[in-house]
Amino acid sequence: MNAKLDNITTQYRKFNENQVLTEGQLNEFIDYFEDQDRLSRTQLSGVGIVCGFKSIFFDAAASKDAAVMREIFKGKEIEPKDYLDTIVITQGAGVTTDGDLITLRRKIEKTVANSDKKVIETLIDFDTNAYRYYRSYESDVQYSHFNIDKQQIPLLEIITQQDYDLLKSQGAKVDDFKDVKGIEKLSDKIVILYLESYSNEESPCEDADCDNAGAEQVSNLRVLLADSKVAKDLLSRGDAKDVVYELHNRYEELFDNLPKIEAKRVILDASITTPSQLKTRFYDSINAVPALVDGFDKISATFNLNDTSINAKISSLLNTSTLSLGDYQYRYDLFKDLIDTYNEIKGLLLHLDAECCPSINSFPKHLMLGALGATLELGEKTDLRHSFYHSPVATSDDENYERVIMLIKRFIEKVNKFKSHNGPVKITPSNLYVRLGNKAVPYYYNVDQPLLAQWNFEKTKTDRETYNLSYHTANLATDDYVKNPLNYNIDNYDFYRIEGHLGLPYETAVQNINDLKVKYGLPFDIAVLLLNKGEKRDDNLPSEPRKLSIEDLRKQLVSISDDISMERGDYKSTLFNLSKLDSDLKLLNKAAFTAPGSDKEVVIVKEDPKKEEISTELLSDFLERKSGLEHLAGVERGGLFLLIAESEANNQVLADFSLPYLCCSKKDPVFLVLPASQLCQNDAPIAMTIVPLDGEVKAFVNGSTPVPAITQSAGQSFFDPSLVNTAYFGQTITFTVNDDPVDVQMVVHEVPNVVVTASTPVNGESPTNPTATVVFSVSGNSNLSGFDYSWNFGDGKSEQVNDPVVTNGLVKQTHVYNLTAGKEDTFTPILTVTNSSGCSKQYVLQPLKLIGQSTVQCLSSMEIIVQYNQSLGPCPGGHTCNNAKFNLMANGTVNLGLVNLNNLGTSLQPGQNRPNNETSGPNRINSFLITPAQAQSIADTDPNGDGFISFSLVCAEAVCHTGVAWTTIKLGGNVIYNGCPTNNFLTINPCTGKIKP
């Protein structure tokens, strides 16, 4: 059996008038559009199981199955007992790679009305099918997807009770069918829907009617069972390969087999008093290197991006036994980066369901539904079941494969490009709560073009990879806002990477960081924590004078100078030596040159041991007051950056941590959080979160002008925007807590202030659809054109007008109200005005009372003409009549006058006349005019109370002939009725002109 799409028809002929069509032309036409329909499904929508097709065997002896059965049939008009000991499959939908749309089917036999002929109909409108019988299945149609070495695998076909009864009624052999409850190891079976498609041989035309000649195209849906192990063998070594399933199943299997990895936090406590103990905390947090190597190896192998050297490099870089005090922090950061990328790849694996141009021969005529009774729980993988593989046009996940490839390459680049740097202290804006690719590229990488190309997917895709931010700017874009981002708007950044300070004396690091903080006005603070006090110093004992040797100072200076000129050592060790020399040189400011002794020594006066240029605190003391230290390689906006050194003597920076709030020395911090940074003047007061809880909050404009917008209720502080003076709208409001400033700002915006009026309604002239036109005018603000107007006219209709035209200081809006004639309606228009700041105000107008204009005056020209006219009649079913009299009735109770159809040529009766001024003849015309007053009076007699008049002709004699009166009714000179009346022949509303059928 060949797939329909193996060879497609690419053209067809258009037919000419009176053209004799050949079978080739007609088949070409059908084939072309069938191919296009199939291609549209597979290429533009997708292939696989869309929904449904859940299966279960309901074992009458298993209580658990009965419970499941009750749940499935809950609320359905189905007898659960009919499903016992059957395989139940729910209705579903799926598309094969040949473009066949598959749903479950149910065949029924019906007798054609008024004949003994029976026909087979196929239904799909049902919830479930229950399959009770099975037999071995051997296909007469070769289908290589069921073959291994050209031999079909063992398959069982299952059918429903209806199918069984239908086959039996048609005389088909059913002895080979058995009950499905007798199938061994049902739980090891998978369900397959197979669309058996073939063409029957054309039968010869044996009679004069050959309209039904032609080869019948058969499409039978078979429901099959196969052993799971055999099905897996079929996929791995069958005659036909299901490349779509194999590819996406490989992704799912990869996801299931990947280890779960998360980086451990570096948690500090008071027991850490030495650099080696601090290093051990970082060491212990690099905890999953073998799992990371194993997981990435599986990923790279699956996507054919193996790098044989990468595993060894990972192990080498993260070998904790070789970590030095100089860069163990950055190697831990590399470990976190790799895990972030690994987990991002893993998270995308189950979203690689887009398939561009799925292989036609993957599953052209079948769908695998998975194991019988598979739970199909949300998020769980089901083996041997076709998922739905979307076309790229139908999903936003079509780029995920590209993302995965880029992330794998980024992982490799990071391992290859890790590098210990020596450079000045720098601060780079970044983000904290985002994926790694949206953060600045860290300091510890060699930031070259290959790394940049794999860092951020969106930027690389738009050829903007050099616009990532980084400590290293040599290979970035030349734009100044990329090279020097702190000079520009950084509102979109919530984090500052601080790098280049490790290994420096903490005094030097603090000074450099503070200089940058002040230069760029950055909102964070910095502090130093020491692991130990160093040499113990008793401040109660008299301090001996310190001495400096001029010769020692000279030797230090010469040594440093030689290192610099001969480029010996490294940048950080040179800075460290300069810092120690600087500390000694500062003591010269306190020298007592009159002191006795060698001329090569200078005696230094006693120093105040408590006086420190930079405030420090022991880590153990700090942790008694504060917790929550995190190593982030930087600090959040408004946070505290903490440098850690061993002691004042051994003052090199070993690591850095941060807190998400400002904390000044040993003083309790103040803290304020607002749920919004911008409000409208008519917004409700918002609650403020304050630390300390009893702190006093004050608000200011321009840093000094108080804003009395802080209120108290039940011990809670609120900011009330309605209390802000109009002069401060749009200005930045700052806050203090206990007179200490906090990094919180607020802007209050003015709401629109307009005046809305409605014009006098103008009624429309319509006999059947009365209207009233109202013009609304908006005035009172010079910025009317900058507003958005949302109109609700009170009649169920609305309109949105953005930035309308302002004419003579007014914005006008016209609306036409549809009314009911003679009825008063009330409408309450509402206008919502929104300004450019997003602030809005609602205006409810005075109710409009509008009355629909009556159409009774239109009926003042209603003329009713009843006549016997040979040229118009006689009416159908009637006959000529010499004399017939009727009463013209309204609503069955009001007699409008006598109709006399006298054909004897006698003198005219009252109300009669002859047409065209004839002096004699059989044609008689009876005319009646109805005044508005009459119309309204008669309408009031409508038994339904709807104001309608029903006209009828009622015999005025004992013997009366029907069907002899031709009646014409004119309204405003236009004929609205013309015919032979029977019973109530016209029902009309005199106020609206509406006619009931």
Side-chain angles (χ1 to χ4, degrees):
M1 178 182 62
N2 294 326
K4 292 281 189 179
L5 295 179
D6 278 345
N7 296 287
I8 66 169
T9 302
T10 59
Q11 73 285 320
Y12 66 94
R13 301 174 186 274
K14 298 191 71 174
F15 309 138
N16 297 323
E17 185 176 359
N18 299 322
Q19 176 182 349
V20 176
L21 301 177
T22 67
E23 55 87 18
Q25 291 168 326
L26 289 172
N27 288 334
E28 180 185 58
F29 180 85
I30 294 171
D31 290 344
Y32 175 83
F33 285 101
E34 182 184 10
D35 289 345
Q36 293 300 308
D37 184 44
R38 290 173 177 271
L39 286 170
S40 295
R41 284 198 201 108
T42 60
Q43 307 299 313
L44 301 183
S45 295
V47 296
I49 296 175
V50 178
C51 61
F53 294 145
K54 298 179 181 179
S55 64
I56 189 171
F57 174 65
F58 280 141
D59 188 348
S63 59
K64 64 179 182 64
D65 288 346
V68 174
M69 180 176 63
R70 285 194 299 273
E71 183 63 27
I72 290 180
F73 296 138
K74 185 178 181 181
K76 296 182 173 63
E77 295 180 359
I78 297 176
E79 288 293 335
K81 62 183 178 61
D82 296 335
Y83 286 76
L84 295 175
D85 292 330
T86 66
I87 295 173
V88 175
I89 304 177
T90 64
Q91 184 60 286
V95 179
T96 70
T97 53
D98 197 30
D100 292 300
L101 180 60
I102 293 182
T103 59
L104 295 183
R105 306 173 182 181
R106 181 178 293 174
K107 292 183 178 181
I108 61 172
E109 187 176 53
K110 294 186 67 175
T111 302
V112 179
N114 301 321
S115 75
D116 295 332
K117 184 178 180 180
K118 294 185 178 181
V119 296
I120 304 298
E121 291 187 355
T122 303
L123 308 178
I124 63 171
D125 187 15
F126 55 86
D127 293 323
T128 58
N129 258 351
Y131 298 88
R132 187 174 296 278
Y133 303 100
Y134 82 96
R135 68 178 173 186
S136 296
Y137 175 74
E138 292 290 341
S139 175
D140 295 330
V141 181
Q142 285 299 319
Y143 186 57
S144 59
H145 286 75
F146 291 160
N147 294 345
I148 298 178
D149 296 331
K150 297 184 179 180
Q151 295 294 319
Q152 178 187 297
I153 64 172
L155 294 171
L156 301 179
E157 180 186 9
I158 57 176
I159 65 172
T160 65
Q161 183 70 55
Q162 296 98 320
D163 293 335
Y164 181 88
D165 294 340
L166 183 59
L167 288 172
K168 191 173 183 180
S169 68
Q170 293 175 337
K173 181 181 178 181
V174 295
D175 295 341
D176 54 348
F177 280 103
K178 302 176 183 178
D179 290 341
V180 295
K181 63 182 179 180
I183 300 176
E184 295 182 359
K185 298 182 180 180
L186 260 177
S187 60
D188 289 338
K189 303 293 184 183
I190 72 161
V191 183
I192 302 173
L193 299 183
Y194 169 47
L195 197 63
E196 185 182 65
S197 302
Y198 57 91
S199 177
N200 274 335
E201 292 297 327
E202 181 178 358
S203 59
C205 180
E206 298 178 350
D207 53 28
D209 184 6
C210 293
D211 290 343
N212 294 322
E216 180 185 20
Q217 304 302 306
V218 179
S219 179
N220 290 327
L221 181 65
R222 306 286 189 181
V223 184
L224 308 176
L225 300 180
D227 288 337
S228 299
K229 183 179 183 304
V230 174
K232 290 179 179 179
D233 290 342
L234 184 67
L235 288 170
S236 62
R237 57 187 185 90
D239 293 355
K241 299 300 182 184
D242 189 345
V243 294
V244 172
Y245 173 81
E246 287 183 346
L247 175 63
H248 292 275
N249 186 59
R250 188 159 70 244
Y251 297 151
E252 293 179 351
E253 288 181 344
L254 174 61
F255 178 87
D256 289 341
N257 292 328
L258 287 178
K260 298 178 176 65
I261 307 174
E262 291 293 340
K264 289 183 66 177
R265 294 170 56 215
V266 179
I267 302 176
L268 304 183
D269 58 48
S271 67
I272 301 174
T273 59
T274 66
S276 61
Q277 290 173 336
L278 178 63
K279 174 187 171 182
T280 299
R281 292 303 170 93
F282 281 89
Y283 170 95
D284 292 342
S285 297
I286 303 177
N287 63 318
V289 176
L292 181 63
V293 170
D294 175 61
F296 183 74
D297 189 56
K298 292 176 180 175
I299 291 172
S300 57
T302 299
F303 290 91
N304 298 317
L305 291 171
N306 305 64
D307 186 332
T308 55
S309 65
I310 206 68
N311 291 346
K313 288 181 180 179
I314 295 174
S315 300
S316 175
L317 287 171
L318 301 179
N319 186 345
T320 51
S321 63
T322 63
L323 298 185
S324 67
L325 288 177
D327 66 358
Y328 63 80
Q329 172 178 296
Y330 289 149
R331 292 181 188 253
Y332 169 75
D333 291 338
L334 169 66
F335 175 66
K336 288 205 304 180
D337 290 352
L338 294 178
I339 290 179
D340 285 345
T341 301
Y342 168 85
N343 284 328
E344 191 172 350
I345 295 171
K346 184 178 178 182
L348 289 173
L349 291 177
L350 296 184
H351 297 279
L352 300 178
D353 56 358
E355 186 69 26
C356 179
C357 301
S359 171
I360 294 169
N361 292 315
S362 286
F363 45 96
K365 296 297 177 184
H366 74 281
L367 291 172
M368 295 190 300
L369 307 190
L372 179 62
T375 58
L376 303 184
E377 293 294 336
L378 187 65
E380 290 187 2
K381 174 183 177 294
T382 302
D383 284 331
L384 303 175
R385 179 179 173 91
H386 284 116
S387 299
F388 190 73
Y389 313 109
H390 297 270
S391 163
V393 76
T395 178
S396 60
D397 291 343
D398 57 302
E399 292 180 340
N400 286 343
Y401 182 84
E402 297 177 66
R403 290 180 184 271
V404 168
I405 298 300
M406 192 206 76
L407 289 169
I408 295 173
K409 292 180 178 178
R410 186 174 79 187
F411 189 101
I412 296 172
E413 283 294 318
K414 287 189 297 187
V415 174
N416 289 329
K417 298 301 169 58
F418 179 84
K419 182 178 181 181
S420 296
H421 290 279
N422 289 316
V425 177
K426 288 183 67 173
I427 300 177
T428 307
S430 184
N431 286 291
L432 185 59
Y433 305 105
V434 295
R435 294 194 180 277
L436 184 62
N438 293 319
K439 299 179 180 181
V441 186
Y443 168 72
Y444 41 82
Y445 293 124
N446 179 19
V447 184
D448 57 7
Q449 197 282 330
L451 178 64
L452 289 172
Q454 313 304 330
W455 191 258
N456 182 287
F457 180 82
E458 285 75 17
K459 288 180 179 177
T460 299
K461 189 173 182 180
T462 55
D463 199 26
R464 299 180 70 254
E465 63 270 16
T466 57
Y467 285 81
N468 290 289
L469 299 184
S470 177
Y471 176 99
H472 305 287
T473 61
N475 294 312
L476 301 186
T478 57
D479 304 73
D480 190 59
Y481 67 86
V482 177
K483 297 283 190 181
N484 300 290
L486 292 176
N487 286 326
Y488 296 86
N489 180 20
I490 54 173
D491 290 350
N492 293 329
Y493 300 96
D494 59 12
F495 185 76
Y496 306 115
R497 287 197 68 88
I498 303 177
E499 297 160 315
H501 55 281
L502 289 189
L504 292 179
Y506 67 76
E507 297 93 342
T508 304
V510 169
Q511 185 62 52
N512 278 271
I513 296 172
N514 272 330
D515 288 347
L516 293 173
K517 186 183 80 167
V518 173
K519 178 181 178 180
Y520 295 110
L522 303 179
F524 69 90
D525 209 344
I526 183 170
V528 177
L529 299 178
L530 303 178
L531 299 181
N532 57 67
K533 296 181 180 180
E535 295 182 3
K536 186 175 181 180
R537 181 172 59 193
D538 190 348
D539 293 335
N540 296 322
L541 297 177
S543 177
E544 292 292 328
R546 292 178 58 191
K547 296 181 180 180
L548 286 177
S549 169
I550 300 299
E551 182 63 23
D552 287 344
L553 291 175
R554 186 186 66 80
K555 288 180 180 179
Q556 290 182 53
L557 185 58
V558 170
S559 176
I560 294 172
S561 176
D562 289 344
D563 289 343
I564 295 174
S565 61
M566 300 179 69
E567 297 184 356
R568 291 187 308 216
D570 60 36
Y571 155 76
K572 289 187 178 177
S573 63
T574 301
L575 277 179
F576 182 67
N577 292 331
L578 281 172
S579 173
K580 290 168 55 175
L581 176 61
D582 180 63
S583 297
D584 288 340
L585 290 173
K586 287 179 179 178
L587 294 177
L588 294 176
N589 295 325
K590 307 168 184 179
F593 291 99
T594 58
S598 169
D599 58 359
K600 294 185 178 181
E601 291 184 350
V602 176
V603 179
I604 307 302
V605 299
K606 180 181 178 181
E607 298 179 88
D608 181 359
K610 297 182 180 180
K611 184 176 181 181
E612 300 173 351
E613 293 188 3
I614 296 178
S615 176
T616 61
E617 185 177 1
L618 284 177
L619 173 65
S620 56
D621 293 342
F622 185 87
L623 292 177
E624 288 182 3
R625 301 184 295 107
K626 302 295 176 186
S627 62
L629 273 69
E630 293 285 351
H631 168 64
L632 302 172
V635 63
E636 293 183 57
R637 182 194 293 263
L640 175 65
F641 190 58
L642 294 158
L643 302 179
I644 296 183
E646 180 183 1
S647 64
E648 292 182 16
N650 298 316
N651 61 348
Q652 285 178 288
V653 177
L654 302 173
D656 58 67
F657 286 76
S658 67
L659 285 174
Y661 53 85
L662 292 175
C663 172
C664 41
S665 187
K666 299 181 181 180
K667 180 180 178 181
D668 288 334
V670 293
F671 191 58
L672 173 64
V673 173
L674 294 176
S677 60
Q678 298 192 48
L679 294 173
C680 300
Q681 70 178 105
N682 58 349
D683 285 339
I686 58 174
M688 299 186 291
T689 302
I690 306 169
V691 175
L693 295 177
D694 58 350
E696 181 184 14
V697 182
K698 297 178 183 178
F700 300 90
V701 170
N702 299 324
S704 58
T705 305
V707 178
I710 311 299
T711 62
Q712 295 282 332
S713 177
Q716 174 70 58
S717 295
F718 294 87
F719 179 83
D720 189 345
S722 66
L723 300 179
V724 176
N725 191 289
T726 56
Y728 303 143
F729 289 160
Q731 297 190 39
T732 299
I733 299 173
T734 58
F735 299 86
T736 63
V737 176
N738 293 340
D739 294 326
D740 287 335
V742 292
D743 187 31
V744 175
Q745 295 181 345
M746 170 63 67
V747 177
V748 176
H749 298 285
E750 183 181 11
V751 298
N753 186 17
V754 301
V755 176
V756 190
T757 58
S759 68
T760 302
V762 177
N763 291 319
E765 296 292 337
S766 174
T768 59
N769 187 25
T771 62
T773 301
V774 179
V775 178
F776 299 96
S777 298
V778 184
S779 61
N781 194 302
S782 59
N783 294 323
L784 291 177
S785 59
F787 293 165
D788 294 338
Y789 298 82
S790 179
W791 292 91
N792 180 344
F793 299 106
D795 59 352
K797 297 180 180 179
S798 60
E799 186 170 351
Q800 180 71 31
V801 181
N802 298 329
D803 196 12
V805 176
V806 180
T807 305
N808 297 326
L810 296 175
V811 169
K812 292 192 175 183
Q813 180 69 34
T814 300
H815 184 66
V816 177
Y817 288 89
N818 295 318
L819 308 174
T820 303
K823 179 182 176 183
E824 181 181 77
D825 288 315
T826 301
F827 307 96
T828 303
I830 300 174
L831 170 62
T832 302
V833 185
T834 306
N835 60 22
S836 59
S837 300
C839 296
S840 60
K841 186 174 181 180
Q842 190 178 83
Y843 295 87
V844 181
L845 280 68
Q846 289 293 327
L848 300 174
K849 294 185 177 181
L850 307 176
I851 300 177
Q853 181 179 352
S854 174
T855 60
V856 172
Q857 292 184 1
C858 297
L859 299 182
S860 63
S861 60
M862 174 177 274
E863 180 181 11
I864 303 177
I865 303 170
V866 185
Q867 58 182 310
Y868 177 87
N869 190 322
Q870 288 181 328
S871 64
L872 300 175
C875 292
H879 57 276
T880 59
C881 178
N882 290 330
N883 193 356
K885 295 182 180 180
F886 301 90
N887 289 320
L888 178 61
M889 304 296 292
N891 285 345
T893 59
V894 180
N895 192 338
L896 299 177
L898 178 66
V899 176
N900 187 350
L901 302 179
N902 188 322
N903 302 324
L904 299 178
T906 58
S907 61
L908 297 176
Q909 298 295 320
Q912 290 182 312
N913 58 75
R914 293 190 179 92
N916 302 323
N917 297 319
E918 296 176 358
T919 58
S920 65
N923 297 333
R924 296 290 183 267
I925 298 176
N926 296 259
S927 299
F928 302 88
L929 293 175
I930 299 178
T931 67
Q934 282 181 296
Q936 186 62 57
S937 175
I938 297 170
D940 291 341
T941 67
D942 181 3
N944 295 321
D946 295 331
F948 280 83
I949 301 175
S950 295
F951 293 100
S952 60
L953 289 178
V954 180
C955 287
E957 296 178 316
V959 178
C960 186
H961 297 160
T962 60
V964 299
W966 184 277
T967 302
T968 300
I969 298 181
K970 296 181 178 181
L971 177 60
N974 298 317
V975 175
I976 63 172
Y977 178 83
N978 206 3
C980 300
T982 58
N983 300 323
N984 295 331
F985 62 87
L986 177 67
T987 302
I988 185 170
N989 189 313
C991 292
T992 65
K994 181 178 180 181
I995 297 175
K996 285 187 177 180

